[in-house]
Amino acid sequence: MQFTRGFKNRLASATVLVATGMLVAGPALAQSVVVKGNSRVDAETIRSYFNSTDANGVSEGVKSLQSTGLFTDVRVSRQGSSVVVTVVENNIINRVAFEGNSKLKSEQLTSEIQTRSRGAYSSATVQSDIERIRDIYRRGGRGDANVTSRTVSLPNGRIDVVFTIDEGGKTGVKTINIVGNKAISSYRLRNLMSTTEMNYLSWLKTSDVYDPDKIASDQELIRRYYLKNGYADFRIVGSDAVYDAAQKGWIVNITVEEGAQYRVGSVNVESRLPDVDSGSLQKSLAIKAGDVYDGDQVEKTVEALTREVASRGYAFSSARPRGDRDAASHTIALGFVIEEGPRVYIERVNVRGNTRTREYVVRREFDLGEGDAYNRVLIDRAERRLNNLGFFKRVRVTNEPGSSPDRVVVNVDVEDQPTGSFAISGGYSTVDGIIGEVSLTESNFLGRGQFVRAALSAGQRTRGIDLSFTEPYLWGRVAGGVDLFAKRNVNSQYSLYDTTVVGTTLRLGLPITEEISFSPRYSIYQTNMTIPNTTDRPYNDCTDPSLGLVPGPLSPPSAFINTDGTFKGSCVTNGEASLAIKEAAGRRLTSLVGYTLSYNSLDNLKNPTQGLYGEIRQDIAGLGGDAKFVRSTFDSRYYYPLYEDIIGFARLQGGNITGFGGSDLRIIDNFNPGPSLVRGFAPGGIGPRDITDPANLRGAGLGGTNYIGGTLEAQFPIFGLPKELGLKAAVFADAGTVFGYKGRTNFAELVGLAPGAACAPAGTVTVTNPSTATYNTSQASCINVSDSHKLRSSIGASLLWASPLGPIRFDYAWAISKDKNDQTQAFRFSGGTSF
């Protein structure tokens, strides 16, 4: 662009005039504003807030000064042509202190308030902080807390701000009133809520603290419960909470409108996608005609249909549910419309807030990434997965527009939480006696999402060490892990031998669907079985008489008589292990490959109330080692709510083990379940048994190659007890049997005879003193095995306690049908603690 010489001269002159005017105006304005009362804030700083001395300029200047929070008062007056600004400066806070607080630490309160050390004092801010502190205590269940403030003057215009707190007593939720419900009892609905009422356990719990956010979450739990049980019209029409000073607690009122219960009248899938036939999508339906309407199953169907069509190449498609209610018949005609969605791509995935967890641990829970088609169903699925990991306090997935209309940015905000634990556990069982365990567990090792556990256990009859490592994403979604273990079990009255097992297991986990998984494994372990032969455990002195506890088979009759004239007894009568058990003694290496195929639809793994869990396990030993067998087992458990909090439980289990390649099964290979199959019987009390010596029946269980059993149980809360106590009762009926002893019965070589020699009776001696008695001095070379297929059964009652220190269970059972040689045990107790 070209400028003339004259234009350039005029432009330069104008610039000089403007600059001159500015230089003149600045000092003139400064001289017309007079500042008084300031001591710390510079006068020039105060004048800078006044752009002019007219009415509007002065008014704006005063407002701006007041908004700084540096002044208690700002006043303006005029003296001639000057504006006089008189200020009263706020004091500077030296420190902020708290008095009377014991339930909340001062550091916690400091982080919540706005008043800060080295800041300007503001009475409005202090008053706001008082209300904030009261609200913190109110949310912590102390609605009567009183907070006041005072200042302590210091030199040079500095002050201390002191908050005095009277924390008062606990003011939790006194009563939860649910109004309008008819089909589902208030008792059941209150049990769904995480908020509880105050009771005599309030000094132990915090769940009765009033928290508006928690109440809102509880209302959502109630809503989902009604939708899950067919009440499609359900809604919460009102909710309020009133603090009752007389009762010193909150009264929570929730008003509901249930509506009618609906069933599914029909289910239809409508595909609007080319080359996708609606009929081929029927297998993805999780709900069918005739079922009670279930909102959860509708969500599962939407997710399954979306995944199915995406696998066929329609990445942008989704399933949209619709329901047509028929109020007259109380049915819902369900329809799922499969249609192409907007073509939007994921431009970027931002992971934020993860201070410990590696970013890839978060990203791998998503089935999609940058550049993939955006699908809201899969995004929601990933959010649920992240919440289920247990690594985060909070997970929130949001979207924002990308760089173009067909791009979206996915933001994943997480907040890490502690995932490691140190536990000291203890317990007691009628089998293992008192047992304790120390363990270290980390479910997010080094922020990589890996599981690591080390445990050391010791007790009256058992001790061991377990080391476990799991990588949940070894190859894609295939998990891998390794276990190292060593365990020693000392004999009890139910087993007259000790075992030591040392080994390792390599395992994989392959999810097939959300409910089905396949887990192959390889294990190698060495078992050392020994038979005690000590003064207090003389279980092998017929074979090894070196202990000298009783006379041997060649001793004269007089050797069996004590000096006081009583009989000493013999190696058989003082307790002797079966020859079948002695034959199994020694070291044995087992190398096996196996798998578990499992199905899991339980609603809660820790405390299930509905759903099915089933597994099939098979192990094949013979990849080296000394053992060759095929072991197959199955176990299925079904839970169903019979009536509100009464949960029905059915279990069916069974197994078979078969040797091959000329390898005999040993006692420790056999199944010997006892009370885990039918309660009311002792460990090893069911099934094949060596009855050669009637005096040693309890410890002579041999186990079988087959078992089958079933259980029916009903669990219910104990009326009148608060649910926080964790006590439930149960009644049960068990039935089952163990059979099929396939081991040897002739052990001639163990009593000094040639292998395979004809059965020889036990050695005996006749003693007269002055009466006559006959004693065994050695064992018979053959054993007499009782192997009955008879079905054993029992009924009983249980007390279950989910105590703060761990689960404890008491069972008392009566054997209804049994074999004459079975060993019973009416009472069974097991439990553990963690603290």
Side-chain angles (χ1 to χ4, degrees), residues 430 493-494 674-675 678-686 689 697-698 792-794 812-828:
T430 46
Q493 58 182 318
Y494 309 110
V678 182
R679 283 164 285 192
F681 291 84
I686 303 174
R689 184 172 303 279
L697 289 182
R698 180 170 287 273
R792 282 76 163 181
S793 62
S794 68
Y812 194 91
W814 293 267
I816 302 301
S817 61
K818 63 178 181 176
D819 184 74
K820 64 180 180 179
N821 295 309
D822 289 341
Q823 303 298 302
T824 59
Q825 181 190 66
F827 178 71
R828 184 171 180 239

Side-chain angles (χ1 to χ4, degrees), residues 358-387:
R358 309 291 178 94
E359 184 170 319
Y360 70 82
V361 174
V362 177
R363 288 180 174 270
R364 69 191 184 188
E365 297 301 324
F366 287 80
D367 292 326
L368 32 71
E370 283 89 346
D372 290 339
Y374 177 82
N375 192 304
R376 185 69 228 179
V377 173
L378 298 182
I379 292 290
D380 291 342
R381 185 187 187 197
E383 185 172 3
R384 288 195 298 272
R385 284 176 174 171
L386 288 171
N387 277 306

Side-chain angles (χ1 to χ4, degrees), residues 76 136 438:
V76 177
I136 294 171
V438 177

Side-chain angles (χ1 to χ4, degrees), residues 21 75 119 143 235 306 314 324 347 360 369 373 404 434 441 464 479 481 565 580 584 631 639 750:
R75 296 183 181 181
R235 65 192 185 101
T306 301
Y314 292 91
D324 298 323
E347 179 177 306
Y360 70 82
S404 62
I434 298 173
T441 304
R631 180 173 57 210
Y639 297 83
L750 295 183

Side-chain angles (χ1 to χ4, degrees), residues 223 226-227 230-235 257-266 293 295 298 321-335:
R223 187 188 71 83
Y226 269 98
L227 290 179
Y231 295 89
D233 294 330
F234 173 83
R235 65 192 185 101
E257 188 177 287
E258 291 179 329
Q261 186 184 51
Y262 285 82
R263 289 187 173 272
V264 178
S266 61
Y293 176 80
V298 171
R322 68 165 186 261
D324 298 323
R325 294 179 177 84
D326 185 339
S329 62
H330 296 153
T331 59
I332 297 178
L334 279 177

Side-chain angles (χ1 to χ4, degrees), residues 411-627:
N411 295 317
V412 185
D413 293 289
V414 299
E415 183 181 349
D416 282 300
Q417 67 178 358
T419 53
S421 66
F422 170 75
I424 302 176
S425 305
Y428 174 84
S429 77
T430 46
V431 177
D432 295 325
I434 298 173
I435 185 171
E437 181 182 85
V438 177
S439 65
L440 284 170
T441 304
E442 173 57 70
S443 59
N444 189 13
F445 184 62
L446 299 178
R448 297 173 178 173
Q450 298 164 336
F451 177 87
V452 177
R453 184 176 188 269
L456 179 67
S457 60
Q460 285 180 287
R461 302 189 187 101
T462 183
R463 63 183 66 94
I465 183 171
D466 288 286
L467 303 174
S468 181
F469 173 82
T470 302
E471 168 54 69
Y473 285 81
L474 184 62
W475 299 304
R477 290 197 174 275
V478 178
V482 59
D483 302 315
L484 301 173
F485 53 87
K487 187 174 183 180
R488 177 171 173 78
N489 287 320
V490 180
N491 80 283
S492 67
Q493 58 182 318
Y494 309 110
S495 59
L496 305 182
Y497 54 88
D498 301 341
T499 57
T500 301
V501 181
V502 179
T504 184
T505 296
L506 302 175
R507 49 189 164 76
L508 297 174
L510 292 76
I512 300 175
T513 67
E514 287 292 311
E515 293 84 15
I516 301 174
S517 64
F518 177 73
S519 304
R521 62 183 169 273
Y522 170 75
S523 295
I524 182 169
Y525 56 89
Q526 185 178 69
T527 305
N528 184 22
M529 179 178 171
T530 59
I531 301 173
N533 195 30
T534 62
T535 303
D536 57 339
R537 299 188 298 165
Y539 305 142
N540 198 27
D541 57 345
C542 281
T543 302
D544 180 14
S546 59
L547 193 63
L549 296 177
V550 295
L554 301 179
S555 301
S558 60
F560 289 84
I561 305 173
N562 292 313
T563 55
D564 61 357
T566 59
F567 293 119
K568 288 183 179 180
S570 70
C571 65
V572 176
T573 57
N574 69 353
E576 190 74 1
S578 168
L579 288 177
I581 295 175
K582 292 182 179 183
E583 185 265 344
R587 298 181 183 274
R588 191 190 201 198
L589 183 66
T590 302
S591 173
L592 60 82
V593 63
Y595 69 88
T596 299
L597 182 65
S598 63
Y599 174 86
N600 187 355
S601 64
L602 299 179
D603 58 346
N604 187 304
L605 294 178
K606 186 176 180 180
N607 187 27
T609 61
Q610 190 168 0
L612 173 67
Y613 176 82
E615 68 174 26
I616 298 173
R617 298 172 63 96
Q618 192 167 60
D619 295 299
I620 302 174
L623 280 71
D626 305 314

Side-chain angles (χ1 to χ4, degrees), residues 85-101:
V85 181
T86 304
V87 297
V88 179
E89 294 179 337
N90 274 329
N91 292 315
I92 297 299
I93 300 172
N94 176 59
R95 70 185 181 99
V96 179
F98 300 90
E99 294 179 346
N101 57 307

